Amino acid sequence: MLEIIQTLGPITGNKIAEKLNLSRAALRSDLAILTMSQLVSAKPKVGYYFTGRDLQQLNTMSFDAILIADTLSAPIVVRENSTVYDAILTLFTEDVGTIFVVSEDNFLEGALSRKDLLKAAMGGKNNNDLPVNIIMTRMPKIILTTPEESVLSAAQKLLYHQVDALPVVKIIKEGETTKYQVVGRFTKTNITRLFVQLAEK
Ligand code: ADP
């Protein structure tokens, strides 16, 4: 598409679609990426034209060049023997959607989402007596990320596994066993913030 715009621009969306044998609607998301990355600009009634922006420059803007270490948020955790009541309170006071559950020595044990806690709250049991480790999703089922992973790859994990947040962990090997120290959280909000920052740049 960029080639067509470079050689034939300014060119209308309909004309580009015609050249590619596609519908105008099918081009929408790709055109949005090209305009957002400022490779292409659009003039009303005239069409799309190439801005002359260097393709190399684009790499510095891309999500796979940005690492989790550059964008993570502080981890919000509760201990595994905390009650569901404590976890719900934490959800409100810390204003988060997912809480990670850690052992006494601070290693990752599980995750609690909003719906996990909602389900427990509707269950009719006394939430002051119910420990979170009964209702949490537990290791080794937790999908993780590390400070060294790219934002793109972590975002793909969020989409693929259909979860809202990943714990950012430091991997600690002790002989045969591997433990995960929680050093942060990476959520859909981090991606939205990054998206806006990149777009505004
Ligand atoms: P919600 O359940 O509020 O829609 P999620 O989609 O994030 O929120 O969570 C769906 C389920 O996945 C929940 O049962 C939760 O315990 C679990 N979960 C949350 N985060 C993770 C994760 N990083 N890895 C694995 N499971 C997770």
Side-chain angles (χ1 to χ4, degrees):
M1 192 180 331
L2 189 59
E3 231 172 74
I4 293 174
I5 297 172
Q6 263 179 308
T7 48
L8 301 176
I11 177 170
T12 63
N14 285 334
K15 281 260 160 55
I16 301 171
E18 219 172 83
K19 293 261 167 223
L20 292 170
N21 241 337
L22 291 167
S23 71
R24 173 72 182 83
L27 301 184
R28 194 164 295 135
S29 57
D30 294 79
L31 267 175
I33 290 171
L34 287 179
T35 42
M36 220 174 59
S37 58
Q38 293 168 7
L39 279 168
V40 159
S41 226
K43 274 205 194 105
K45 292 197 181 123
V46 179
Y48 295 91
Y49 62 94
F50 180 55
T51 57
R53 188 185 169 90
D54 187 353
L55 262 176
Q56 287 300 108
Q57 278 178 300
L58 212 57
N59 286 335
T60 57
M61 281 182 58
S62 68
F63 285 98
D64 57 348
I66 303 167
L67 302 183
I68 291 294
D70 303 322
T71 175
L72 55 79
S73 299
I76 303 300
V77 300
V78 294
R79 289 277 148 82
E80 58 191 331
N81 55 1
S82 303
T83 64
V84 167
Y85 182 87
D86 289 335
I88 294 174
L89 220 52
T90 306
L91 200 73
F92 281 102
T93 53
E94 299 291 344
D95 195 16
V96 289
T98 309
I99 298 172
F100 297 108
V101 182
V102 295
S103 61
E104 281 299 315
D105 43 6
N106 262 324
F107 292 114
L108 181 65
E109 295 285 337
L112 293 162
S113 74
R114 269 182 277 238
K115 278 189 212 133
D116 292 332
L117 293 168
L118 202 56
K119 213 191 306 172
M122 291 172 77
K125 296 217 178 76
N126 185 353
N127 290 324
N128 271 313
D129 292 337
L130 197 62
V132 286
N133 60 17
I134 307 277
I135 67 155
M136 69 187 186
T137 301
R138 61 182 61 245
M139 287 295 279
K141 278 202 203 149
I142 306 298
I143 313 300
L144 313 162
T145 182
T146 62
E148 300 78 31
E149 186 167 19
S150 77
V151 164
L152 177 63
S153 153
Q156 283 164 338
K157 283 183 182 172
L158 285 178
L159 273 187
Y160 182 78
H161 297 281
Q162 298 184 352
V163 291
D164 292 345
L166 303 178
V168 183
V169 299
K170 192 172 155 199
I171 300 171
I172 295 170
K173 293 217 188 279
E174 286 176 359
E176 291 292 279
T177 53
T178 306
K179 292 180 167 185
Y180 302 93
Q181 190 188 352
V182 185
V183 295
R185 70 178 206 278
F186 177 71
T187 71
K188 290 179 174 174
T189 304
N190 294 99
I191 301 174
T192 309
R193 191 177 301 130
L194 212 58
F195 175 85
V196 171
Q197 281 170 352
L198 290 179
E200 282 178 353
K201 232 188 206 172

